[in-house]
Amino acid sequence: MDIREATESDVDAIRSIASQSLRSTYTDFLDEDTVDDAIEQWYGESFAEELVDDHSLVLVVERDGEIVAFSQSDLIGQQHRTGRILWLHVDPDQRGSGTGVRLLVRTREKLLQEGAERIHCFVLEDNEGGNEFYREHGFEQAGQREVDIGEETFVENVYAESEIDGEGWGATDELEVDGQRLYVSYGEAARGSKSPFYTVYETADRDERYAWLCGHCDSIDNAMDAMGRIECNTCGNRRKATRWDASYL
């Protein structure tokens, strides 16, 4: 799985995924005409301009040469900048594979790297699955706002990062490796040469660290030496010795 910034050549694939995602999730409370209006409003001819806007961020997930998901975000504010994840769409056939949470994690990291001091996520109030997704991955509802889709107005829930025991972003996810259930803490990250390493625990209460998950290839096959250096045996992603390692986020 490769997560990268979108280019103009990705526009058609992005529009297709948005259409499939909206029609599979939103037609329970949006009629077909409203969905058509939404696709044209957000992913019509002007969407290509989003890709070159300095305040906009569009990331795509590519599997085996095909785009299967994307996120659309922006940065607002001058002094205290807020990174806003406006949309996160996954091909319906790819849901449940961990694609959504990995895209969420990478989008958050990229927004922070671009200068965001806090992260907000937006999802329509009636989208039960979308609301549950953010609640399950380290966010809590912080407010609401109205959004216009075509000629109708809808309510969006606004989510902000929550914490686990006061120790930072509380995003965790389950991972199965060789039949063993493990727990990844995305809020506990260490800088890597290609992508961060995330702490992996054997139990949901995070009692004892089990391994590191390589954010570049999703492998826990890595080695650590006495100085805290980590190297992924699958893709070569490396973390420097702890002595020189600055805080990642």
Side-chain angles (χ1 to χ4, degrees):
M1 179 171 65
D2 182 32
I3 302 177
R4 58 173 175 79
E5 291 193 35
T7 66
E8 189 172 351
S9 64
D10 300 321
V11 169
D12 287 343
I14 288 172
R15 186 180 296 118
S16 176
I17 290 171
S19 177
Q20 294 175 57
S21 176
L22 287 168
R23 294 183 193 285
S24 69
T25 303
Y26 290 84
T27 49
D28 288 342
F29 57 92
L30 298 180
D31 59 38
E32 287 287 343
D33 289 340
T34 303
V35 171
D36 289 341
D37 287 341
I39 295 169
E40 180 60 31
Q41 179 177 330
W42 296 318
Y43 305 107
E45 293 183 4
S46 64
F47 178 69
E49 299 175 7
E50 294 283 329
L51 305 182
V52 295
D53 189 327
D54 291 339
H55 300 286
S56 178
L57 173 68
V58 180
L59 299 183
V60 297
V61 178
E62 198 170 29
R63 286 184 183 273
D64 300 324
E66 293 188 9
I67 295 173
V68 298
F70 75 94
S71 64
Q72 182 180 359
S73 310
D74 64 12
L75 279 162
I76 62 170
Q78 297 297 322
Q79 293 183 330
H80 303 290
R81 305 187 79 190
T82 298
R84 305 190 305 174
I85 302 176
L86 304 172
W87 292 100
L88 195 155
H89 287 296
V90 179
D91 184 328
D93 292 337
Q94 296 289 326
R95 292 176 183 173
S97 65
T99 300
V101 66
R102 293 309 310 279
L103 178 57
L104 172 63
V105 170
R106 192 67 61 83
T107 301
R108 173 185 179 270
E109 291 169 352
K110 185 66 175 177
L111 288 169
L112 291 171
Q113 290 170 1
E114 294 293 327
E117 297 180 15
R118 53 182 170 262
I119 305 296
H120 287 169
C121 305
F122 299 83
V123 60
L124 290 180
E125 181 182 36
D126 292 327
N127 181 358
E128 295 180 4
N131 282 274
E132 183 179 1
F133 173 79
Y134 286 121
R135 289 194 297 266
E136 288 184 346
H137 293 101
F139 290 84
E140 58 188 4
Q141 188 174 341
Q144 292 183 320
R145 71 172 190 172
E146 292 185 340
V147 58
D148 293 328
I149 304 177
E151 297 181 356
E152 297 187 63
T153 300
F154 297 87
V155 174
E156 275 190 325
N157 288 335
V158 182
Y159 285 86
E161 292 184 11
S162 56
E163 297 184 351
I164 291 182
D165 302 325
E167 295 182 359
W169 185 43
T172 60
D173 199 24
E174 295 184 7
L175 179 73
E176 188 169 314
V177 179
D178 295 331
Q180 182 178 4
R181 181 69 63 183
L182 301 174
Y183 300 85
V184 184
S185 176
Y186 290 111
E188 299 176 73
R191 186 189 299 273
S193 57
K194 297 181 179 180
S195 189
F197 288 93
Y198 306 106
T199 306
V200 178
Y201 294 91
E202 287 189 282
T203 58
D205 59 11
R206 304 188 307 159
D207 184 51
E208 184 176 349
R209 187 173 67 200
Y210 176 78
W212 292 92
L213 174 72
C214 174
H216 187 256
C217 69
D218 295 338
S219 172
I220 61 169
D221 180 13
N222 47 63
M224 176 186 286
D225 65 18
M227 291 294 291
R229 282 182 287 258
I230 307 170
E231 181 168 355
C232 176
N233 294 323
T234 302
C235 71
N237 188 22
R238 293 183 179 87
R239 177 199 183 191
K240 292 182 179 180
T242 306
R243 178 178 172 183
W244 295 286
D245 188 42
S247 173
Y248 180 68
L249 296 178

